[in-house]
Amino acid sequence: MPTSQVQREQFGGLLRTLRLERGLTQEELAEAAGSSVRGIREMERGRVRSPQRRTVVLLADALRLAGPDRDRFVALARAQRQPHDHVGAPRGGPTVVVPGELPAALPDLAGRAEILQRLSTLAADVTAGRPDTASVVVLHGPPGIGKTSLAVAAGHLLSPTFAGGQLFVDLQGVPPGGPVDPAEALAGLLRSLGVPDNRIPVSPAERAGLFRTLTRDRPLLVVLDNAANEAQVRPLLPAGRGCLALVTCRRPLTGLAGALRQPLDLLTPEAGRLLLAAIVGADRIAAEPGAADQLVTLCGRLPLALRIAGNRLASRPQWSVGWLVGLLRDQRRRLTVLTAGDLGIRSAFEVSYRQLDPTAAWAFRRAALIPGTDFGPALVAAVAGTDEETAAAALEELVEAGVLLTTGDRYQFHDLVRLYAQERLDAEEQAACRTRAHDQMVDWLLRRVRQAGAMFEPVACRADSPFDDDRAAAYWLDRESGNWLAALREAARSGRHTDVVAAARALHWYSDATSHRHPWEEIFSLGVAAARAAGSPRDEAVLLNFLGWARYFCRDRNTDGLATLGQALELARRTGDRREEAWALTYTAAIHIRTGRAGSAIDHCRRAVALFREIGYALGEQSAASAQGTALAALGRFAEAAELHREVLAFYGRGNDLSRTGAEVAQAGAMMSLGADLAGMGRWRDAADEYARARRVFHRCGATFSEANAVHRYGLALRALGEVDAAAETLRAALDLYAALSCPWWEAQTLSTLAALADAAPGRAADARLLRQRALARCGELDAPEVRTLRDTLRRELAQS
């Protein structure tokens, strides 16, 4: 064994003996000496080649060494730093040393094969001297993502490529004990390259110059682990074109010129299971596959969390995977459970948190109150009580620090980081402050909902709105839906009935364009309950109409929709609200058309038209007239229906004070109705043209369900025209749109039509059967006459096939 290796082990053994004699853990010694736990561990294991003099002195102080004991400790560390591996080398100048300083690689690295392959290719290009090849790679990501493990694994994989050796420096970029001064790190690098202490320059600039000289003509791999910033890294980069530096950092070090940045993502679920299996044993994981999947999810697919969970299971063979899953389900204990030995999720996050400036730390804590999965600067400003510019700057610092993830201009917590942020909020802010911050966030969200909804109202006052137009309002409502919906639920739970009613009512016209995008049944149910609690029967009648629409149109629950609309009609008549009475009649007519009672629907529509006309509400009158046209078409009176629908289309074409989106959606709806009339008259080409026009408008407005319906009907028109292949392709496109919105009834109808097309094609009987099976499955638990009819038809066709 080389002398230096013996000395390293002697020093490490002495350090461990002294620590244990004083009853100190590695964590306690690290804290007392201002070092890192990893550094203490590596020194005790004899893996540190050159312990820095400052570190040795601080360790001696922490161990309370004096006299001969202190002299022996310092001398052994000093002897370790001498280049004894090359006995007989000239004493006057640097010896030719081939360092191999990489720590041992983890045997169970998972999910990083693609990055390792990319680094292998890059290393080959570097050593081949290819021009324009990056010689610095920054592996960056949040705490616990596995940056060091990947860098070390890459170093071992690439070491044969770099015959000049491999250097490893822990820059201790995060407290305690760091960051390491670049000049001190340079001294250690020079010693590793064979420069004796008496030849190491005093000046940092001269040290950097000598390091560049020694690395200019040798293929060398340098791993700079746990960097703090660009200034710490720059002097430590080798100069040779055949050298490669791997830098790990929580920040992407965007100021480092010419570097290739490789962000590390969370492990895939499959890679997470593989990591657990490697630690715990494949048989044990395979015995509880469901629990293993839950464990990967509860660990947030974070490598450090999975490693800790695996270590806990490995050290407790009597535990089932399900038992650990049960412990982790309790969010209050999850970070504590994810601790094993000196590894802990909480401590990894703590390091980053303690480096934040006060404003960023404030934003970090307050953002934990945000209920949705992602958020923007404006919402953070609202919950933190600051301006949007300050919030945006704080969020960027949090991303740089690795405690927030970003997707475009949106931000989100990793699940475990959110738990840590909540802990810090509870620990550092009083309950009254937390409640006030939460309430001001809910206030802001509900106010924005009302302002956004107002942009869709006919003849609405849009002065002083934060939104330029209805498109901007729709964009905000869509992106912040997880947050404003949670705020609405919270307001309902806390008895803020007036706010809930106002928000639910404000969303009505917006819901027309986004019928299947948001849970309108829940939203309007909350509104109905709030109106009742507030003792406002007029609001209740309005919201019952909205709820009835949501149940039949969005959820295909015709029976429930009729019952709800019956309540709305009764309440509207009792309070003398003719407008809501007319709306209840119009919506009821739509359900009657769906369920084969077109004659009754015509009667309802005529009464609704008369009521709307009596109160001078033209928009309602045209809606009722359109429903009447659809009822006429259902009775085979297509020419009369077409005449009505053309009048409705002309009305909406004049705008009539509707928002831009509202007018376009209404026009496209009239086009759809006219297309159905033309199809009923056998004018399939004209019908197809109307459906195509409507599809383009719906797509432009983001009305995805209506777009799917237009595509569906266009496909049916193509089938009637004999364009079978085009029809099948179009219907598959409609099916994809329906599936994205989870519309089982419409999926079932489309699948059934595709099955019929497959029947007509030679050799596709098996495809047709599979399509019918899928259609039957999508019928599921739906219970309506039309669903029962389709279900019976599908079963009969499957039996015959």
Side-chain angles (χ1 to χ4, degrees):
M1 181 181 293
T3 305
S4 63
Q5 176 66 28
V6 174
Q7 290 165 338
R8 284 200 295 273
E9 292 183 357
Q10 288 175 344
F11 176 74
L14 177 60
L15 175 62
R16 183 173 184 276
T17 298
L18 292 169
R19 175 177 64 78
L20 294 175
E21 285 178 352
R22 284 150 180 79
L24 296 174
T25 65
Q26 290 180 336
E27 291 83 355
E28 290 168 339
L29 179 57
E31 183 176 359
S35 185
S36 68
V37 176
R38 179 189 292 169
I40 300 294
R41 184 169 60 246
E42 295 298 291
M43 280 186 277
E44 289 189 356
R45 292 176 178 175
R47 292 177 177 174
V48 174
R49 182 183 187 87
S50 305
Q52 298 161 13
R53 280 173 289 186
R54 179 174 68 93
T55 301
V56 173
V57 170
L58 290 172
L59 284 169
D61 291 342
L63 292 167
R64 302 186 299 280
L65 294 176
D69 289 339
R70 184 183 183 94
D71 293 342
R72 178 184 173 221
F73 183 80
V74 173
L76 190 57
R78 184 185 302 118
Q80 177 177 325
R81 291 198 296 270
Q82 304 304 318
H84 293 287
D85 285 1
H86 295 266
V87 179
R91 294 189 178 185
T95 59
V96 179
V97 176
V98 180
E101 298 186 340
L102 295 172
L106 290 172
D108 47 25
L109 191 73
R112 305 302 188 198
E114 185 177 340
I115 297 176
L116 289 172
Q117 179 57 50
R118 197 175 303 141
L119 292 174
S120 296
T121 302
L122 177 67
D125 290 343
V126 167
T127 54
R130 298 184 187 278
D132 302 325
T133 299
S135 59
V136 180
V137 179
V138 180
L139 303 172
H140 64 94
I145 202 68
K147 300 178 291 294
T148 298
S149 298
L150 176 61
V152 171
H156 284 283
L157 177 67
L158 305 179
S159 58
T161 308
F162 296 95
Q166 306 86 42
L167 297 171
F168 182 90
V169 183
D170 182 359
L171 294 174
Q172 300 179 34
V174 291
V180 172
D181 187 286
E184 202 161 329
L186 278 168
L189 288 168
L190 291 172
R191 292 187 193 99
S192 296
L193 293 174
V195 180
D197 279 354
N198 61 1
R199 298 297 300 274
I200 294 176
V202 175
S203 162
E206 291 178 350
R207 289 181 181 182
L210 179 57
F211 179 65
R212 288 193 296 271
T213 298
L214 294 177
T215 60
R216 187 169 301 280
D217 298 317
R218 62 191 298 177
L220 193 70
L221 176 68
V222 180
V223 178
L224 303 174
D225 187 37
N226 202 9
N229 51 47
E230 294 90 341
Q232 187 190 34
V233 168
R234 286 191 188 100
L236 311 180
L237 298 177
R241 293 193 60 178
C243 297
L244 177 64
L246 299 180
V247 185
T248 73
C249 188
R250 297 187 178 190
R251 302 172 184 265
L253 301 181
T254 51
L256 207 59
L260 176 68
R261 288 167 185 83
Q262 176 62 62
L264 299 193
D265 295 326
L266 300 172
L267 297 180
T268 64
E270 181 182 7
R273 289 191 297 272
L274 288 173
L275 178 56
L276 286 174
I279 298 171
V280 177
D283 292 345
R284 196 167 167 191
I285 295 301
E288 298 179 78
D293 289 343
Q294 293 176 55
L295 183 56
V296 172
T297 300
L298 289 169
C299 289
R301 296 188 282 124
L302 192 68
L304 178 58
L306 286 163
R307 188 168 297 284
I308 291 170
N311 288 349
R312 294 207 69 179
L313 286 171
S315 63
R316 293 166 175 80
Q318 73 277 15
W319 279 15
S320 67
V321 179
W323 174 261
L324 181 55
V325 167
L327 294 178
L328 290 173
R329 281 206 182 99
D330 185 349
Q331 292 189 0
R332 297 167 301 178
R333 300 178 55 198
R334 191 174 301 168
L335 297 183
T336 300
V337 172
L338 288 174
T339 303
D342 61 355
L343 291 178
I345 286 292
R346 184 183 285 108
S347 58
F349 299 154
E350 181 84 12
V351 166
S352 289
Y353 177 71
R354 294 305 174 194
Q355 294 183 91
L356 299 174
D357 69 41
T359 301
W362 175 269
F364 176 74
R365 295 193 301 270
R366 288 295 182 89
L369 291 169
I370 295 174
T373 56
D374 58 49
F375 43 85
L379 183 52
V380 173
V383 75
T386 185
D387 61 87
E388 191 170 341
E389 184 177 350
T390 300
L395 288 169
E396 284 302 308
E397 181 179 343
L398 295 173
V399 171
E400 285 280 309
V403 292
L404 267 192
L405 306 173
T406 180
T407 53
D409 60 348
R410 304 286 289 176
Y411 302 86
Q412 63 186 62
F413 282 111
H414 182 276
D415 290 347
L416 297 176
V417 177
R418 180 188 285 275
L419 293 178
Y420 176 75
Q422 290 169 341
E423 283 189 355
R424 298 321 315 154
L425 180 69
D426 293 342
E428 297 183 36
E429 298 193 33
Q430 294 180 349
C433 294
R434 299 196 301 269
T435 300
R436 188 162 54 249
H438 175 270
D439 289 347
Q440 69 192 23
M441 174 189 67
V442 171
D443 290 342
W444 185 86
L445 282 166
L446 295 183
R447 183 169 61 254
R448 280 292 172 101
V449 165
R450 294 193 298 272
Q451 291 168 329
M455 300 302 291
F456 295 85
E457 290 281 349
V459 203
C461 177
R462 302 183 180 97
D464 301 323
S465 174
F467 304 106
D468 293 334
D469 54 26
D470 57 314
R471 298 289 170 85
Y475 185 69
W476 184 87
L477 285 165
D478 287 346
R479 299 229 298 173
E480 294 289 354
S481 60
N483 293 311
W484 63 252
L485 182 55
L488 189 68
R489 290 167 178 154
E490 176 57 32
R493 281 193 296 269
S494 57
R496 296 174 57 171
H497 307 310
T498 302
D499 291 333
V500 173
V501 167
R505 289 198 61 164
L507 289 167
H508 167 60
W509 289 95
Y510 165 70
S511 70
D512 276 349
T514 57
S515 57
H516 289 65
R517 194 177 305 161
H518 302 299
W520 294 116
E521 182 181 17
E522 178 192 1
I523 291 166
F524 295 137
S525 290
L526 291 174
V528 169
R532 284 176 182 159
S536 176
R538 287 187 174 273
D539 285 321
E540 185 181 349
V542 171
L543 288 159
L544 280 167
N545 270 326
F546 297 170
L547 178 57
W549 167 83
R551 284 178 168 161
Y552 87 81
F553 191 79
C554 303
R555 300 294 304 278
D556 296 306
R557 290 167 51 190
N558 297 323
T559 303
D560 291 343
L562 274 178
T564 304
L565 293 168
Q567 295 176 43
L569 183 62
E570 179 184 353
L571 194 55
R573 285 172 174 166
R574 193 165 72 234
T575 58
D577 192 333
R578 295 185 177 182
R579 176 165 157 166
E580 293 310 314
E581 180 183 352
W583 277 122
L585 290 168
T586 303
Y587 291 142
T588 299
I591 298 178
H592 285 178
I593 295 167
R594 284 182 162 211
T595 54
R597 290 179 283 174
S600 173
I602 289 177
D603 180 58
H604 280 69
C605 289
R606 285 174 178 161
R607 289 158 56 198
V609 166
L611 284 169
F612 281 131
R613 189 173 294 159
E614 180 181 335
I615 62 175
Y617 187 47
L619 281 173
E621 182 181 343
Q622 294 300 317
S623 294
S626 182
Q628 183 177 342
T630 303
L632 288 169
L635 293 172
R637 297 160 63 178
F638 300 112
E640 295 175 68
E643 183 179 353
L644 263 178
H645 287 140
R646 287 192 180 96
E647 291 175 3
V648 172
L649 183 57
F651 172 84
Y652 288 130
R654 294 191 292 270
N656 290 286
D657 296 316
L658 285 167
S659 68
R660 180 173 58 172
T661 299
E664 290 189 346
V665 168
Q667 287 180 64
M671 293 172 196
M672 291 286 289
S673 297
L674 180 57
D677 302 334
L678 295 169
M681 290 185 275
R683 296 169 55 182
W684 287 104
R685 181 57 64 190
D686 292 335
D689 290 344
E690 291 296 333
Y691 295 146
R693 287 173 58 202
R695 173 189 187 178
R696 290 191 293 270
V697 176
F698 286 136
H699 180 77
R700 185 167 64 245
C701 295
T704 309
F705 172 76
S706 296
E707 179 189 356
N709 205 238
V711 175
H712 185 183
R713 293 199 192 181
Y714 182 68
L716 297 178
L718 292 177
R719 182 182 68 164
L721 290 166
E723 301 175 22
V724 177
D725 292 341
E729 182 180 354
T730 302
L731 288 167
R732 284 193 291 270
L735 181 63
D736 290 341
L737 290 170
Y738 286 139
L741 294 169
S742 188
C743 301
W745 167 233
W746 294 94
E747 290 175 63
Q749 294 178 83
T750 310
L751 286 163
S752 177
T753 306
L754 284 168
L757 288 174
D759 276 338
R764 294 198 56 201
D767 292 341
R769 181 174 181 81
L770 180 60
L771 287 164
R772 287 191 174 94
Q773 289 171 338
R774 290 174 59 193
L776 189 60
R778 294 311 288 148
C779 286
E781 300 301 318
L782 294 173
D783 187 22
E786 60 271 31
V787 180
R788 290 194 291 272
T789 299
L790 178 59
R791 187 184 289 119
D792 292 343
T793 300
L794 290 168
R795 286 172 175 163
R796 184 174 62 255
E797 290 171 343
L798 284 169
Q800 292 171 351
S801 66

